[in-house]
Amino acid sequence: MDVQSLAVAILVVVCAVSAVWMLMPAAWRRRTAIASLRLPLPRPIAARMRAHADRDSGCGCDGCDRAMATKPSGAQASVRPIILHRHPR
């Protein structure tokens, strides 16, 4: 096996693992992160797994569950502003 084939194989495996991680349900991701913390991982990877293990939900919502400060009345009751949230990194 030459170097190019080995590099492509490693790249495919890393991309597949990344895709599985992103598409995995949050509860499975949390369990996987907790299980991986038992392994001797490098500090940056262990810190990232610890962050995934400590998350309560998978949505990363920071305020969409808050009630509106004032309740509109009349015609404005059906009009609400759209709030866009960035995806947490």
Side-chain angles (χ1 to χ4, degrees):
M1 182 181 270
D2 59 343
V3 177
Q4 183 178 2
S5 296
L6 182 63
V8 169
I10 290 172
L11 186 64
V12 167
V13 168
V14 169
C15 289
V17 169
S18 175
V20 167
W21 181 262
M22 295 300 269
L23 296 173
M24 188 183 300
W28 292 4
R29 221 176 327 185
R30 191 175 310 114
R31 281 188 225 135
T32 305
I34 291 169
S36 69
L37 285 174
R38 295 181 186 134
L39 301 173
L41 298 172
R43 283 187 183 180
I45 295 173
R48 192 165 182 160
M49 288 296 147
R50 198 169 296 110
H52 282 290
D54 292 340
R55 286 190 186 154
D56 289 335
S57 68
C59 70
C61 180
D62 293 329
C64 63
D65 57 343
R66 290 183 295 202
M68 293 181 66
T70 60
K71 292 188 176 187
S73 61
Q76 292 182 343
S78 63
V79 178
R80 292 194 287 177
I82 297 174
I83 301 172
L84 302 177
H85 299 279
R86 289 184 158 239
H87 181 71
R89 297 195 186 267

